[in-house]
Amino acid sequence: MKTIFEKIQELDDLPSYSKHERFVEGIINAIDERIVGIGDALPSVNAMISGLGYARETVIKGYRELQSRGLIESKNRLGYFVSDDNTQQSLKVALLMYTIDTFQEQFYRSFRNELGVNVHLDVFFHHGNIEVFETMLSLVKGRYGMYVISPVHHPRTKALLSTIPRNKLVMFDRFEPLDGDFNYVVQEFERSSFAIFEQLADVIKRYKRMVFFHNPDSLFPPEIVRSFQKFTRKHHINGQVLREYIPGSVEKGVVYYVNENAELWNLLKDCNIKKLQPGKDIGILSHNDEPVKEIVGNGITTYSASFTEMGKLAAQAVLNREPIHEVIPTALIRRNSL
């Protein structure tokens, strides 16, 4: 059986191949021909230099490309090992998400479709928990070619994300500041929410007060609470922030800003029981649009960034390896509830 060195040297007769390309393709051919398999050790950098006569930089660059494709992994002080034998994949991507809700699913489907079939994608969920987030990062770090991460809003996040090479990081959904330049495709919460409230000011003022349901322990962005408070102060609106909707408490003449779907369904159920018509007897506004909100309650007014567009742009950033600093616009979608 031929050796890895021989598989690389077989390509010496191809003048169109650089040494880097011979190195990478030679190891891929060795995997395809079962000369080495998953878990097998590869020759050390020094052994490759001695056996091939290649420069150290060429060998290291080749191993790094194979790592980015997810075909090999580096084990501390032990060297390089084959980690996958699917040589058709061009890249291995780690996607760290909050959870799979309707909006994150829209992002995922768009992201997955745009990546195409030759990119290996592993998905991890941190649920907004900084301890889980740290654990997930420690598990994936150094094993992937690209890291697409929805960060947790926490003081420790910056230090944790700083362990990921900037050229391999794409931040999505929520923006968290890091030192230096990095790629992101995110939405903005504070200024955009205030702008939406301003667009709705004349309608909101027809009601006697506005109630915002916000649980401080939830993953809901606290920036929107600040926007709500700023808006109600500016327009002298009787605004209240309550922790949760209490079933049966719906009241005529109130605008409800509801974000948790379970609370929205309870509110609409109570409207049916009390024969209150959204858009007339009460107002309803919700953050993040989804198909069901087009239907329930004769249409719920929402405002939202496009998670489909976010997923598409994040995938293109991964594939093209070009800088991206994109804030997805937030759009108001007027329906019958307000």
Side-chain angles (χ1 to χ4, degrees):
M1 180 181 290
K2 291 187 176 181
T3 66
I4 290 178
F5 296 100
E6 290 171 317
K7 294 306 297 181
I8 296 171
Q9 290 164 339
E10 280 181 357
L11 303 175
D12 286 347
D13 295 332
L14 298 176
S16 61
Y17 272 38
S18 66
K19 287 184 177 180
H20 168 74
E21 289 170 325
R22 290 177 214 157
F23 184 88
V24 171
E25 290 301 317
I27 293 179
I28 287 174
N29 292 341
I31 294 173
D32 284 339
E33 295 178 23
R34 301 293 187 265
I35 293 172
V36 287
I38 295 174
D40 289 344
L42 296 172
S44 69
V45 172
N46 288 336
M48 284 292 195
I49 293 170
S50 176
L52 298 171
Y54 286 6
R56 179 176 295 274
E57 181 181 348
T58 301
V59 174
I60 292 175
K61 182 181 177 183
Y63 272 150
R64 284 177 177 169
E65 178 171 336
L66 291 164
Q67 277 185 281
S68 75
R69 297 191 187 191
L71 295 175
I72 71 172
E73 62 181 332
S74 174
K75 296 182 180 180
N76 190 31
R77 298 183 180 179
L78 295 177
Y80 295 95
F81 294 79
V82 178
S83 59
D84 199 328
D85 57 8
N86 178 13
T87 58
Q88 297 306 306
Q89 66 189 29
S90 58
L91 181 65
K92 190 173 183 181
V93 177
L95 174 63
L96 272 69
M97 308 177 69
Y98 271 87
T99 185
I100 278 288
D101 55 21
T102 306
F103 325 116
Q104 299 281 318
E105 185 176 358
Q106 289 173 13
F107 174 92
Y108 170 78
R109 290 184 180 277
S110 176
F111 183 73
R112 174 70 273 183
N113 290 339
E114 190 72 17
L115 284 181
V117 296
N118 288 330
V119 175
H120 178 96
L121 178 64
D122 288 332
V123 185
F124 306 86
F125 301 103
H126 57 67
H127 305 286
N129 183 302
I130 192 63
E131 304 297 336
V132 177
F133 185 69
E134 182 174 12
T135 299
M136 292 297 100
L137 281 180
S138 68
L139 287 174
V140 304
K141 192 166 53 180
R143 298 178 55 197
Y144 292 83
M146 289 294 290
Y147 301 84
V148 182
I149 299 174
S150 180
V152 177
H153 183 54
H154 193 277
R156 287 164 54 193
T157 295
K158 180 178 179 179
L160 292 173
L161 287 179
S162 295
T163 64
I164 303 295
R166 291 291 190 272
N167 64 332
K168 293 186 177 184
L169 172 66
V170 178
M171 184 185 297
F172 80 95
D173 191 4
R174 180 179 188 92
F175 181 87
E176 289 292 326
L178 302 177
D179 295 333
D181 189 38
F182 62 97
N183 292 322
Y184 57 83
V185 185
V186 297
Q187 57 179 320
E188 191 278 328
F189 299 106
E190 191 158 358
R191 293 187 303 275
S192 59
S193 293
F194 185 79
I196 296 299
F197 296 151
E198 289 280 272
Q199 290 182 59
L200 294 170
D202 289 343
V203 178
I204 292 172
K205 287 179 180 179
R206 297 174 191 169
Y207 297 84
K208 62 183 182 182
R209 75 175 190 273
M210 185 175 185
V211 175
F212 181 4
F213 296 112
H214 170 64
N215 183 342
D217 298 326
S218 73
L219 301 179
F220 192 75
E223 300 97 314
I224 299 180
V225 182
R226 295 196 293 268
S227 294
F228 172 79
Q229 293 169 334
K230 177 183 176 182
F231 167 74
T232 53
R233 284 196 304 267
K234 176 182 176 180
H235 291 275
H236 305 290
I237 292 169
N238 181 6
Q240 294 178 285
V241 179
L242 302 180
R243 189 178 183 90
E244 61 184 357
Y245 174 71
I246 305 300
S249 66
V250 63
E251 182 181 344
K252 185 176 180 178
V254 178
V255 176
Y256 294 97
Y257 182 11
V258 188
N259 295 287
E260 295 291 338
N261 280 347
E263 293 186 317
L264 178 59
W265 310 150
N266 283 330
L267 176 63
L268 291 172
K269 179 181 177 181
D270 289 342
C271 286
N272 288 334
I273 294 171
K274 296 188 177 183
K275 302 190 184 309
L276 297 176
Q277 182 179 340
K280 180 180 178 182
D281 301 312
I282 70 164
I284 301 177
L285 174 65
S286 182
H287 186 240
N288 289 331
D289 195 47
E290 53 187 308
V292 70
K293 291 178 182 176
E294 299 179 35
I295 304 168
V296 298
N298 200 24
I300 303 299
T301 294
T302 66
Y303 70 98
S304 180
S306 171
F307 286 85
T308 298
E309 182 68 9
M310 190 185 297
K312 178 180 178 181
L313 291 176
Q316 290 173 356
V318 167
L319 295 172
N320 299 332
R321 302 296 184 96
E322 295 178 354
I324 185 168
H325 308 100
E326 188 79 26
V327 179
I328 302 297
T330 299
L332 172 64
I333 304 165
R334 291 179 181 264
R335 299 195 180 101
N336 295 321
S337 70
L338 188 58

